[in-house]
C-alpha cells in the first residue's frame, strides 16, 4: 500500500488519505489515487504530491475574463497564505496548491473552505467546463487514463479508445522470439565491441563503448526478437556489460600490440597481454582505464533508463469506464 510522507516525518497511508478526502465531500478513485468532486459539469480533482508534500487541486475550465479570475485566485491565496502555496489559472486550468499538515482537522477545514470557494467561483458563471483532451466546452465524464483522472467528452473518448485498441492489437500481434532475439543481441553487442576496439586505436573514447554496445545490443534484439520486454532488456544490459569489459581489455591489448610492433617487436598478442596484465599493478595506468569503464557503465545505465522511460511513455494507456 502506498504511504504518503508528511514534512515532519510522520506518514499517512493511502486508506487514511482516502478516508480523509471522503470526509470533506470528495469521492476517491483507487486507480488514480486521487479524489474528485463534480458540480454542474465541472470536475475538480485533488491529488497528493509525495515529493513536496502538497495537495494539488486542478479544474479544467475556460473563461472569457482570465484576468478577473486570476485576481480572485490571488485574493483567495493571500487570504489563506498559511495554507495555500499558490493559486492560478493557466492553459485553461485552475490549479490551487495547499500545504500539507499532519493536523487532519486543519486540513479538513482548509479543504472545506477551498471546496466552498470553488463552488462560489463556478456559480459566478465566469467558468465553463472543458474536455481535458480537446479543450472544448462539451459534456464530459471522468475517466482514469493510465493513472490520471481526466474529464473527457464522448467524441474524444471514442477516438482515444480506438487508438488504444489499435496500439494494443499491434503490440499483441508481435510474438517475441527469445532465442532469435538473444542471437541478435549477441551479434549487436559483438559488432559494437568490434567498432569500439577499432576506434580505441585512433582516438580517446571516454567510455562511449558502453553506450555503443548496449544500443546495438538492444537494436539487435528488437530486430530479430520482434518484441522487447523488461526481461529481455535486462538480459541485453547484462550481456552488454560483460561484452564491454571484454572489449575494454581487448582494446588495450590491441593498442599495446600496435605499439610493440611499431617498436620493432613484431605482432605479439601474447606479449601485449603480459604487458597489460603487469600494468594493472600501476595505479597511474589503471586510473584512466577505471574512469573509462565507469563512464561506459554510466552511459549504459543512461541508455537503459531512456529505453524504459520511452517504453513507458509509448505504452498504450487504458481508459476506464466513467467513474462519476
Amino acid at each position: 500500500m502506498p504511504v504518503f510522507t508528511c514534512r515532519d516525518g510522520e506518514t499517512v497511508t493511502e486508506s487514511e488519505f482516502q478516508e480523509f478526502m471522503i470526509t470533506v465531500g470528495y469521492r476517491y478513485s483507487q486507480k488514480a489515487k486521487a479524489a474528485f468532486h463534480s458540480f454542474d459539469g465541472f470536475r475538480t480533482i485533488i491529488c497528493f504530491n509525495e515529493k513536496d508534500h502538497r495537495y494539488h487541486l486542478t479544474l479544467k475550465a475556460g473563461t472569457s475574463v482570465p484576468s478577473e479570475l486570476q485576481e480572485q485566485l490571488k485574493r483567495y491565496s493571500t487570504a489563506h497564505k498559511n495554507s495555500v502555496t499558490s493559486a492560478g489559472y493557466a492553459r485553461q486550468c485552475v490549479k490551487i496548491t495547499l500545504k500539507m499538515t499532519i493536523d487532519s482537522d486543519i486540513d479538513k477545514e482548509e479543504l472545506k473552505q477551498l471546496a466552498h470557494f470553488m463552488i462560489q467561483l463556478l456559480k459566478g458563471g465566469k467558468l465553463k467546463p472543458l474536455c481535458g483532451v480537446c479543450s472544448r466546452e462539451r459534456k464530459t465524464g471522468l475517466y482514469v487514463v493510465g493513472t490520471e483522472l481526466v474529464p473527457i467528452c464522448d467524441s474524444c473518448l471514442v477516438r482515444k479508445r480506438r487508438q488504444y485498441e489499435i496500439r494494443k492489437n499491434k503490440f499483441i500481434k508481435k510474438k517475441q522470439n527469445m532465442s532469435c532475439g538473444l542471437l541478435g543481441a549477441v551479434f549487436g553487442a559483438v559488432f559494437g565491441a568490434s567498432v569500439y576496439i577499432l576506434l580505441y586505436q585512433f582516438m580517446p573514447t571516454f567510455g562511449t563503448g558502453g553506450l555503443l554496445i548496449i544500443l546495438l545490443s538492444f537494436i539487435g534484439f528488437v530486430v530479430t526478437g520482434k518484441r522487447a520486454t523488461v526481461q529481455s532488456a535486462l538480459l541485453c544490459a547484462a550481456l552488454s556489460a560483460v561484452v564491454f569489459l571484454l572489449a575494454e581489455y581487448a582494446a588495450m591489448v590491441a593498442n599495446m600490440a600496435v605499439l610493440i610492433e611499431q617498436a620493432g617487436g613484431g605482432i605479439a598478442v601474447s606479449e601485449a597481454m603480459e604487458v597489460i596484465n603487469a600494468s594493472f599493478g600501476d595505479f597511474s595506468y589503471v586510473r584512466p582505464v577505471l574512469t573509462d569503464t565507469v563512464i561506459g557503465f554510466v552511459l549504459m545505465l543512461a541508455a537503459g533508463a531512456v529505453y524504459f522511460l520511452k517504453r513507458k511513455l509509448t505504452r498504450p494507456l487504458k481508459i476506464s469506464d466513467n467513474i462519476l
Side-chain angles (χ1 to χ4, degrees):
M1 176 180 290
V3 173
F4 304 104
T5 307
C6 299
R7 281 176 294 179
D8 56 5
E10 297 188 45
T11 59
V12 180
T13 64
E14 184 188 359
S15 59
E16 289 172 333
F17 177 61
Q18 176 181 351
E19 181 182 352
F20 167 70
M21 295 309 302
I22 292 173
T23 60
V24 292
Y26 275 76
R27 293 169 64 187
Y28 191 80
S29 168
Q30 291 281 3
K31 290 183 178 179
K33 295 182 175 56
F36 63 93
H37 178 67
S38 299
F39 179 82
D40 287 352
F42 291 90
R43 320 297 186 204
T44 59
I45 300 166
I46 294 182
C47 298
F48 182 80
N49 187 306
E50 291 183 75
K51 185 177 180 181
D52 55 11
H53 312 302
R54 300 283 188 269
Y55 292 124
H56 294 310
L57 180 142
T58 56
L59 169 70
K60 186 71 175 178
T63 178
S64 57
V65 283
S67 58
E68 187 175 331
L69 176 62
Q70 284 278 23
E71 187 60 35
Q72 285 181 278
L73 291 168
K74 184 179 179 180
R75 285 201 299 269
Y76 178 80
S77 179
T78 302
H80 297 80
K81 59 184 179 181
N82 291 330
S83 58
V84 178
T85 305
S86 62
Y89 179 80
R91 299 184 184 90
Q92 297 182 312
C93 185
V94 176
K95 185 172 182 180
I96 300 175
T97 304
L98 284 171
K99 296 176 183 177
M100 175 62 181
T101 66
I102 197 62
D103 190 333
S104 60
D105 290 334
I106 294 177
D107 276 352
K108 288 176 186 176
E109 188 58 37
E110 290 298 340
L111 283 173
K112 284 178 180 176
Q113 289 186 29
L114 176 58
H116 177 73
F117 169 73
M118 292 302 299
I119 289 174
Q120 293 303 313
L121 199 65
L122 302 178
K123 280 184 176 179
K126 295 183 176 65
L127 287 171
K128 297 178 180 179
L130 302 178
C131 170
V133 178
C134 65
S135 296
R136 295 179 182 177
E137 185 188 349
R138 292 178 176 176
K139 182 180 179 181
T140 62
L142 194 60
Y143 302 87
V144 181
V145 183
T147 58
E148 293 186 3
L149 281 173
V150 184
I152 305 177
C153 66
D154 291 342
S155 58
C156 287
L157 177 65
V158 171
R159 187 174 71 253
K160 277 195 151 301
R161 280 190 167 154
R162 188 185 301 120
Q163 290 173 348
Y164 170 76
E165 289 299 327
I166 291 173
R167 294 179 68 180
K168 177 184 173 185
N169 292 334
K170 187 184 293 185
F171 183 77
I172 291 174
K173 284 180 181 178
K174 287 185 177 181
K175 300 289 184 180
Q176 186 187 60
N177 189 326
M178 180 61 80
S179 56
C180 289
L182 285 175
L183 286 174
V186 170
F187 177 80
V190 172
F191 180 73
S194 302
V195 174
Y196 172 59
I197 293 170
L198 183 64
L199 291 175
Y200 193 97
Q201 313 309 312
F202 300 100
M203 65 182 75
T205 56
F206 302 112
T208 53
L211 180 63
L212 179 65
I213 290 168
I214 196 169
L215 287 178
L216 290 177
S217 180
F218 278 155
I219 292 170
F221 188 96
V222 172
V223 169
T224 58
K226 302 300 181 185
R227 177 179 165 184
T229 61
V230 174
Q231 291 79 6
S232 61
L234 292 174
L235 282 172
C236 287
L239 171 68
S240 299
V242 173
V243 172
F244 172 59
L245 289 174
L246 294 175
E248 186 79 18
Y249 181 75
M252 290 188 293
V253 170
N255 186 258
M256 183 58 66
V258 170
L259 292 176
I260 292 173
E261 182 186 11
Q262 290 175 347
I267 301 177
V269 175
S270 58
E271 186 178 342
M273 291 176 66
E274 290 177 5
V275 174
I276 293 297
N277 293 338
S279 300
F280 283 141
D282 183 1
F283 183 72
S284 62
Y285 179 81
V286 173
R287 184 171 55 188
V289 175
L290 288 176
T291 303
D292 196 51
T293 305
V294 169
I295 293 173
F297 277 120
V298 169
L299 291 174
M300 287 176 69
L301 289 172
V306 170
Y307 170 83
F308 283 114
L309 183 61
K310 182 182 176 183
R311 186 175 183 271
K312 183 177 181 180
L313 294 176
T314 57
R315 185 174 52 197
L317 298 176
K318 188 175 182 179
I319 304 175
S320 72
D321 294 329
N322 190 346
I323 63 175
L324 293 177

